[in-house]
Amino acid sequence: MKIVVNGEATQTQAKTLEELCAALGHGTAKVATALNGDFVPAPQRGQIKLTENDAVEIVSPRQGG
Amino acid sequence: MLEFYGTEIGSRLLTGTALYPSPQILADAVKASGSDLVTVSVRREAARASAGQGFWELIKQLDVHVLPNTAGCNTVKEAVTTAQMARELFETDWIKLEVIANNDTLQPEVFGLVEAARILNEDGFKVFPYMTEDLGVAEKLMAAGCEVLMPWGAPIGSGQGLANPLALRTMRSYFPDIPLVIDAGIGAPSHAARAMEMGYDAIMLNTAIAKAGDPVAMGRAFSQAIEAGRLAYESGLMEPRDMASPSTPVAGTPFFKIDGAS
């Protein structure tokens, strides 16, 4: 399945957002997620099923002004 | 004492965490400045990377209040979703709300700002809006639930100081009770002192410290300027006048002559 992760086209076997995070090495990392522009709280990632062309954002803490 | 949403803040200098030469210099500069609140952000994490974790550990060690921002957001939707992700990551309902109209000036997009503030306040956030000095916008933000306002001094990163001092003085006079923070555009400690002398409650800045030749010393310089400016405001500044007025007593001046006398 082709989806877009952080703006880049990505092939994935992950069925849920939780599986995608784990596959990308973020299983236990301090990241937050959004699917197609909407925030997905961490406890809900396992229930969120991915579909073709979904746009996923995965972010973490950074410096800011 | 400075308070935001009922929480006491130990310094009127609020600092950003970006653009420093190194994490250690960031930590040293924050400590030297006495800042008790730092701004942070969220950014995309690459696969199998953990840049965010290291930064989070550094911030926790600073032991200061954390204010995440929505920098870079151009729409209400982007800002709201970014705020929600930041709330989960930084474990705070405080958000420095930025909705940007123009990428050259980084001017606040005030219509979207008011709408995003309303949505976030209803969602339980405590919103710190980065705004222009427009009084009408300020009233709409307060009606949307904001209990702090953060007008810009000048465009972000410009170091120009207070571009519109008349409007900023007016804003302070018009809203005597709500905490007002000058956010952005401050380049020198004198700029910060001037804003504090006007009665602003705090100064938020990043670039002027981070890009200084010696960020740690500059953090101290800003701290002292802000403290001096606040003390001057609380002490009651004299009114300026157009003509000279002698400070040394006139009475008893030697060789004093009344006009026309010989």
Side-chain angles (χ1 to χ4, degrees):
Chain A
M1 171 169 58
K2 181 175 77 68
I3 61 173
V4 177
V5 179
N6 286 346
E8 291 188 9
T10 304
Q11 286 289 339
T12 183
Q13 306 297 318
K15 293 184 175 58
T16 67
L17 190 53
E18 186 175 48
E19 289 179 20
L20 177 70
C21 287
L24 294 175
H26 302 314
T28 58
K30 193 165 187 63
V31 294
T33 54
L35 178 65
N36 299 323
D38 292 318
F39 170 59
V40 180
Q44 294 178 18
R45 288 177 201 155
Q47 290 94 60
I48 299 294
K49 298 207 180 326
L50 296 175
T51 58
E52 189 83 12
N53 295 321
D54 272 348
V56 175
E57 294 288 334
I58 302 174
V59 301
S60 68
R62 277 303 188 287
Q63 296 83 351
Chain B
M1 180 59 73
L2 178 64
E3 277 191 15
F4 295 138
Y5 290 99
T7 298
E8 285 188 5
I9 305 296
S11 169
R12 294 179 185 276
L13 170 56
L14 320 175
T15 49
T17 55
L19 303 174
Y20 282 87
S22 72
Q24 188 61 52
I25 293 175
L26 159 63
D28 291 346
V30 169
K31 192 172 179 184
S33 74
S35 174
D36 189 32
L37 184 155
V38 297
T39 53
V40 294
S41 191
V42 304
R43 285 295 179 263
R44 288 169 165 169
E45 185 73 285
R48 278 161 286 283
S50 59
Q53 187 66 38
F55 178 66
W56 175 236
E57 296 297 331
L58 173 70
I59 291 301
K60 280 197 295 187
Q61 287 171 16
L62 293 177
D63 193 27
V64 295
H65 298 279
V66 174
L67 178 61
N69 70 27
T70 62
C73 292
N74 296 112
T75 68
V76 173
K77 178 76 172 168
E78 289 171 5
V80 168
T81 300
T82 300
Q84 291 167 330
M85 292 192 290
R87 177 165 61 179
E88 182 178 271
L89 279 178
F90 292 105
E91 303 163 19
T92 177
D93 54 10
W94 287 13
I95 191 73
K96 181 188 170 191
L97 181 59
E98 299 184 30
V99 183
I100 300 299
N102 180 298
N103 287 335
D104 288 326
T105 63
L106 299 179
Q107 178 167 347
E109 197 281 271
V110 295
F111 305 100
L113 179 71
V114 171
E115 176 64 5
R118 184 188 63 76
I119 293 168
L120 290 170
N121 277 308
E122 287 176 0
D123 191 19
F125 282 88
K126 296 178 173 64
V127 178
F128 297 61
Y130 162 63
M131 58 183 293
T132 60
E133 62 280 78
D134 186 291
L135 301 187
V137 171
E139 286 183 325
K140 288 186 186 304
L141 287 165
M142 292 164 73
C146 294
E147 296 180 16
V148 179
L149 298 175
M150 303 208 302
W152 63 349
I156 294 170
S158 69
Q160 291 291 319
L162 307 183
N164 196 344
L166 171 61
L168 291 170
R169 270 199 306 274
T170 303
M171 188 173 185
R172 178 70 285 179
S173 299
Y174 196 72
F175 299 109
D177 299 322
I178 189 169
L180 295 180
V181 180
I182 294 291
D183 177 14
I186 297 296
S190 55
H191 301 155
R194 187 182 187 194
M196 295 305 294
E197 288 168 1
M198 287 181 184
Y200 275 78
D201 293 279
I203 307 291
M204 176 168 288
L205 62 95
N206 189 153
T207 310
I209 294 178
K211 302 299 272 184
D214 182 345
V216 178
M218 190 61 81
R220 278 200 300 275
F222 269 102
S223 174
Q224 291 172 12
I226 288 168
E227 195 174 329
R230 179 67 188 183
L231 189 57
Y233 170 70
E234 291 173 347
S235 304
L237 289 151
M238 66 168 280
E239 287 294 322
R241 63 173 81 206
D242 291 333
M243 300 302 286
S245 174
S247 50
T248 303
V250 174
T253 304
F255 315 114
F256 185 79
K257 293 184 179 64
I258 296 171
D259 283 349
S262 56

